Amino acid sequence: MPVQSQVDAVLAQVDAGLEQSLERLYELLRIKSISTDPAYAAECQRAADWLVSELAELGFDAAARPTPGHPVVVGHGTDQAGPHVLFYAHYDVQPVDPVELWHSDPFEPQLKEGADGRKIIVARGASDDKGQMMTFIEACRAWKTATGTLPVKVSLMLEGEEESGGKNLPPFMEAHRDELAAADIALVCDTDMWDRQTPSITTMLRGLVADEIEITCANKDLHSGMFGNAARNPNQVLAEIIASLRAPDGSVALLGFYDDVAEISPELKAQWASLGFDEAKFLGEVGLSVPAGEQNRSVLEILWARPTCEINGMIGGYTGDGFKTVIPSKASAKISFRLVSGMDPAKIRAAFRQHVEERLPADCSVKFTPHGGSPAITVPNDGTHLRQALAGLSSEWNKDAVITGSGGSIPVAGDFKKILGLDTLLIGFAHVDDQIHSPNEKYDLESYHRGIRSWVRVLAALAG
Ligand SMILES: [Zn+2]
């Protein structure tokens, strides 16, 4: 473990070198690595090559590895000390349109004063994810410059297709499993802080299972004057089935749905309660006031730690202009479940299908089309790496770092677990108002500076 005086020297290096560090970030931001548009393929390659030369300069054995799409940059540090971390970020960016809404060239980074007086870096990718990625690389640079070495063994895997589906990354990880799985823990820098003063590590990501169902009654559409009352209406059947999916208390009514759902620990519950999350504001911003879902649980808990059932779409009968008194032959719906740790997607899909089939009246049939099917990801809250990383973050921000969940999913974290057997710590320094994917994307200069400092301390803490 590095001694405090070493850490202090590295932090001083970060502060003294901030200006040059920004110049390097700007160089990367000037590269138009829009992954989804084939016109920018050469720019994606250029970004990958730029990263390879940065990493090589820091002593990494690095290369831009080809895939059927844009390259994956992989680098391995030659320092052997301590645990082995595998860092992930992505170098590709979203398209910039509508470009007329940008106040400056999206690929000519500007240091501006934000509305609230904070200094902000404005450019496509400033936050998502080049700025975030560079916080880690620059922390490595500061370690190397100040001490000649890294406190832990570091490998990096930098993706070029995160914003365009990322379909080539899982096969790449499969093909290089032995090489990549040699790490002890994965670090991902593509998430937000809890707020501008409070660093966080996201350890819970929900999984997803979805089914499209199509219910057929009569073998053709019918006239309600001729067949009304005599013919079964699939819209009615579908509506009754959908209504039966939730109990009046807001819980999901599938048999065994909650069997494998664990309650969160009282400590985590208390920590989330202390975050001061404003439920009224959260709902108010989308024009709502009363939380749906399970009663007697906080909104954060039902977002992060409880499974859902949502009806994403319903199609049936005549929906065009005017009116048509039809009894349709078919009705369909798209229904999805967000899953939490412990739930088996296959078991939930089977329970759902059984629930539907048991409620089908005579003369009706159902066809299921599966979508999704990924389990939730949870990093054990008592893990050593998590504890160390929390301590590293807390020491930089002079405030306890918090453990958060995410209602959505970050596929790469699932792949780290499934393909490489690695737990992932999601540590990021972005903010919800960074306007990622939108015009005038920005990153706080402080996020960049203190993000680098945070990684310096996290790497020291992970050294044990
Ligand atoms: Zn991103």
Side-chain angles (χ1 to χ4, degrees):
M1 162 128 192
V3 294
Q4 190 56 44
S5 63
Q6 273 178 308
V7 178
D8 290 341
V10 180
L11 292 171
Q13 174 63 37
V14 172
D15 297 346
L18 185 63
E19 204 129 311
Q20 288 120 301
S21 164
L22 267 178
E23 286 304 324
R24 285 186 289 271
L25 171 62
Y26 291 174
E27 273 184 39
L28 180 60
L29 289 172
R30 288 188 189 107
I31 304 175
K32 303 172 182 175
S33 49
I34 301 169
S35 60
T36 196
D37 186 342
Y40 293 92
E43 290 285 283
C44 291
Q45 180 71 49
R46 202 154 74 83
D49 292 341
W50 187 89
L51 286 162
V52 168
S53 78
E54 282 296 290
L55 293 176
E57 197 182 309
L58 300 180
F60 286 88
D61 178 7
R65 311 267 189 95
T67 74
H70 304 305
V72 177
V73 174
V74 177
H76 296 296
T78 49
D79 304 281
Q80 295 299 325
H84 185 176
V85 304
L86 175 61
F87 175 83
Y88 166 92
H90 61 92
Y91 66 80
D92 63 322
V93 296
Q94 284 273 329
V96 296
D97 33 70
V99 71
E100 63 276 13
L101 295 185
W102 286 79
H103 303 313
S104 53
D105 182 343
F107 293 107
E108 192 43 65
Q110 312 270 329
L111 192 61
K112 294 185 183 174
E113 188 150 320
D116 41 17
R118 267 192 305 270
K119 283 232 163 50
I120 52 173
I121 304 158
V122 180
R124 172 56 87 228
S127 172
D128 180 20
D129 186 37
K130 290 173 174 172
Q132 299 250 63
M133 177 168 65
M134 287 296 281
T135 59
F136 185 86
I137 294 174
E138 288 293 317
C140 292
R141 180 184 288 275
W143 270 104
K144 283 284 200 176
T145 308
T147 72
T149 181
L150 293 171
V152 296
K153 184 166 170 55
V154 174
S155 293
L156 302 97
M157 182 177 77
L158 311 174
E159 187 188 9
E161 300 185 302
E162 197 272 347
E163 304 290 8
S164 54
K167 69 174 188 319
N168 290 309
L169 192 65
F172 181 87
M173 289 163 77
E174 300 265 10
H176 301 88
R177 182 188 291 137
D178 291 347
E179 177 189 348
L180 298 167
D184 300 303
I185 183 93
L187 304 172
V188 171
C189 192
D190 198 10
T191 49
D192 294 347
M193 289 177 61
W194 170 252
D195 60 31
R196 283 192 155 78
Q197 290 77 45
T198 316
S200 67
I201 301 182
T202 305
T203 64
M204 305 167 80
L205 300 166
R206 291 195 294 195
L208 182 75
V209 59
D211 249 347
E212 191 165 343
I213 66 171
E214 183 183 74
I215 291 171
T216 304
C217 296
N219 58 12
K220 58 180 164 193
D221 287 1
L222 304 170
H223 188 288
S224 70
M226 313 276 284
F227 283 92
N229 273 352
R232 183 77 65 182
N233 187 324
N235 277 339
Q236 177 84 31
V237 174
L238 181 67
E240 285 176 14
I241 288 174
I242 284 176
S244 71
L245 288 171
R246 277 193 192 262
D249 67 0
S251 63
V252 178
L254 294 189
L255 196 63
F257 189 70
Y258 293 99
D259 280 3
D260 302 315
V261 178
E263 291 292 330
I264 59 169
S265 69
E267 295 79 42
L268 197 54
K269 203 172 253 196
Q271 194 195 79
W272 289 355
S274 75
L275 288 175
F277 180 70
D278 189 338
E279 298 187 352
K281 178 164 173 273
F282 174 75
L283 290 173
E285 277 171 2
V286 294
L288 302 173
S289 61
V290 181
E294 293 171 281
Q295 312 295 304
N296 304 320
R297 294 182 187 273
S298 74
V299 168
L300 278 189
E301 187 182 354
I302 61 177
L303 287 175
W304 290 350
R306 303 296 294 174
T308 68
C309 165
E310 295 301 343
I311 320 306
N312 305 118
M314 296 168 73
I315 309 116
Y318 183 72
T319 57
D321 287 343
F323 215 91
K324 193 171 162 189
T325 50
V326 67
I327 299 174
S329 163
K330 295 177 190 303
S332 63
K334 297 173 193 286
I335 297 171
S336 65
F337 302 87
R338 296 266 174 194
L339 310 181
V340 299
S341 185
M343 299 175 86
D344 175 359
K347 198 170 147 188
I348 297 304
R349 195 189 299 285
F352 169 67
R353 290 180 175 189
Q354 187 186 343
H355 183 97
V356 173
E357 279 162 351
E358 282 173 0
R359 284 162 181 76
L360 275 186
D363 293 336
C364 295
S365 64
V366 61
K367 191 177 104 193
F368 296 99
T369 308
H371 294 274
S374 57
I377 300 292
T378 300
V379 178
N381 280 348
D382 50 2
T384 310
H385 297 128
L386 175 61
R387 244 184 331 97
Q388 291 167 330
L390 286 168
L393 288 174
S394 303
S395 67
E396 171 59 24
W397 295 86
N398 296 316
K399 187 167 182 196
D400 282 346
V402 295
I403 293 172
T404 55
S406 166
S409 36
I410 296 184
V412 74
D415 292 331
F416 277 133
K417 188 73 186 177
K418 195 169 72 188
I419 301 170
L420 305 180
L422 296 180
D423 281 335
T424 297
L425 301 180
L426 296 142
I427 300 174
F429 307 98
H431 299 292
V432 281
D433 60 0
D434 282 351
Q435 313 204 142
I436 66 166
H437 301 194
S438 300
N440 306 306
E441 176 175 351
K442 64 190 173 70
Y443 199 38
D444 287 13
L445 177 62
E446 190 189 12
S447 293
Y448 183 63
H449 183 188
R450 298 194 74 184
I452 301 171
R453 290 177 54 98
S454 294
W455 283 119
V456 166
R457 295 186 192 262
V458 168
L459 289 178
L462 287 170

